[in-house]
Amino acid sequence: MLTENQIVMAVQRHFKAMGHTVRQVRKTTEHGTDVIAERRGEVWYVEAKGETSSKKHTQRYGQPFNSAQIKSHVSRAVFTAMSVVAQAPSGRRTRAGVAFPDVAGHRAEVASIATVLERLGIEVFWVAGNRSVQRGVNGGLFVSMQLPSGKVVHVRRDRRLFERWSGTPPDLPKIWASKGFVKYGGRPLLAELAILRSFQRDGWRGVWVNNFGHRTFLTDLPGTGEPVELPTKAAHLFGRIERRNGGRAGCWYVFAWKGPRVIFAEAKRMNRDRIRPSQLRWLEAALSLGVPVSSFVVVEWDMRGRSQ
């Protein structure tokens, strides 16, 4: 997980690579704008926030911020950027920006105020786990997919880096174990289950859809916990999609719900995995039944350190 200081350094490198002169860099223990950069009379003021604490002595260090903390951090960063816009000297090319980790929680908060940020001219810098930077309120947010019907839709994308599990691996069939196990909550999990845990942490309920062998819904590693049944509304929706699709093949592996909202998430190892034709058919079946495309997300994941 990226700290605020790591976000700041990534943004600094981004500006230098774009030919800017970086006038100021501030760490969390220092006052002032986090990054000030200038090029050809245009001056950028960027406020950064991380996804975990930068202070090693705190309990939050190494732990992800929860949704309330993320909302607070995004609000404070945006207020600072708005102050820059309000106080910009007349005739000077002043630009305001905010920088966040490229993860689902921060994406969701920014999406809720995207039109306002665009109207104010506040730029958003997204920093991925490998320290690469994308710009724009929706920068790098979508994956374009062509459905079997020929229609093109834009599906939400999330990128995550997990810690590699270095202990004794669970004894599972190769079809599951081949991609390795990630460390989440101090124990080994498959990436799909780690993604499910992250949704649960934000108040969602959900399951891992197991299509191997006995087709079941799980909330833990096979053999660790018993299969579960879907609640009535979730089961009804899943059944409708399954019938429209002509079977369960291609179902996206994480199915979660919170109130009237649902999410189908598909885990894809970065630079290795691709969406399969059967998964495009499942997506199209769901869309044809009125499930919004915003209910689907592709989670591109990797082990921390591998892509850095």
Side-chain angles (χ1 to χ4, degrees):
M1 283 174 285
L2 297 176
T3 66
E4 181 176 316
N5 289 339
Q6 290 170 325
I7 298 285
V8 168
M9 297 310 294
V11 172
Q12 175 197 26
R13 287 192 295 269
H14 171 76
F15 275 116
K16 285 184 175 180
M18 297 299 293
H20 290 71
T21 299
V22 177
R23 302 293 188 192
Q24 177 172 295
V25 176
R26 290 286 187 263
K27 297 182 179 180
T28 52
T29 56
E30 301 172 315
H31 295 292
T33 303
D34 291 327
V35 178
I36 301 177
E38 183 176 1
R39 181 171 180 245
R40 296 175 183 173
E42 181 181 71
V43 184
W44 278 92
Y45 296 81
V46 181
E47 184 71 11
K49 298 296 178 184
E51 59 181 315
T52 188
S53 174
S54 297
K55 301 173 182 177
K56 294 185 178 181
H57 63 278
T58 65
Q59 291 184 341
R60 295 304 314 173
Y61 182 76
Q63 300 296 318
F65 293 125
N66 59 36
S67 56
Q69 291 168 316
I70 291 172
K71 183 185 289 291
S72 174
H73 295 168
V74 170
S75 299
R76 298 206 311 259
V78 171
F79 179 81
T80 299
M82 291 172 63
S83 298
V84 170
V85 174
Q87 299 170 16
S90 177
R92 185 178 179 185
R93 296 172 59 198
T94 301
R95 299 293 307 277
V98 289
F100 302 120
D102 194 354
V103 293
H106 289 78
R107 284 284 191 177
E109 287 301 325
V110 170
S112 67
I113 55 172
T115 55
V116 176
L117 294 177
E118 290 175 335
R119 194 175 303 141
L120 293 173
I122 296 174
E123 186 70 281
V124 182
F125 297 83
W126 297 106
V127 181
N130 63 1
R131 312 300 197 271
S132 62
V133 178
Q134 293 179 324
R135 284 175 53 174
V137 171
N138 292 317
L141 182 59
F142 300 104
V143 179
S144 297
M145 297 183 185
Q146 185 171 19
L147 302 176
S149 65
K151 180 181 178 180
V152 175
V153 295
H154 306 289
V155 177
R156 204 155 43 101
R157 181 183 70 183
D158 183 12
R159 284 180 170 170
R160 304 190 189 188
L161 289 180
F162 295 114
E163 298 289 343
R164 185 187 302 275
W165 175 254
S166 58
T168 303
D171 184 17
L172 293 180
K174 186 177 180 181
I175 191 170
W176 289 318
S178 60
K179 294 181 182 179
F181 295 91
V182 305
K183 181 180 179 181
Y184 195 93
R187 54 172 300 212
L189 288 178
L190 297 170
E192 288 84 357
L193 284 170
I195 292 164
L196 174 60
R197 292 285 189 277
S198 70
F199 285 126
Q200 292 171 331
R201 187 189 67 209
D202 290 332
W204 293 77
R205 297 176 60 198
V207 294
W208 171 37
V209 183
N210 170 31
N211 276 345
F212 176 69
H214 299 290
R215 298 187 170 192
T216 54
F217 300 106
L218 301 173
T219 57
D220 212 330
L221 290 171
T224 302
E226 294 295 323
V228 300
E229 298 292 331
L230 298 179
T232 302
K233 289 185 178 180
H236 178 67
L237 174 62
F238 192 93
R240 290 180 65 209
I241 300 173
E242 186 175 11
R243 290 189 293 274
R244 179 64 61 89
N245 186 56
R248 192 164 161 175
C251 176
W252 294 37
Y253 283 135
V254 176
F255 177 36
W257 53 89
K258 181 178 5 179
R261 294 182 293 164
V262 298
I263 284 179
F264 285 96
E266 179 60 31
K268 294 299 182 186
R269 188 80 180 261
M270 290 182 191
N271 303 317
R272 292 191 187 184
D273 300 332
R274 297 290 183 270
I275 291 292
R276 302 189 304 274
S278 62
Q279 293 170 325
L280 293 174
R281 290 193 291 271
W282 180 273
L283 170 61
E284 186 158 51
L287 297 180
S288 72
L289 293 171
V291 179
V293 70
S294 60
S295 291
F296 285 79
V297 57
V298 176
V299 181
E300 297 178 350
W301 68 277
D302 209 340
M303 301 292 190
R304 191 177 299 278
R306 179 181 174 275
S307 59
Q308 295 178 25

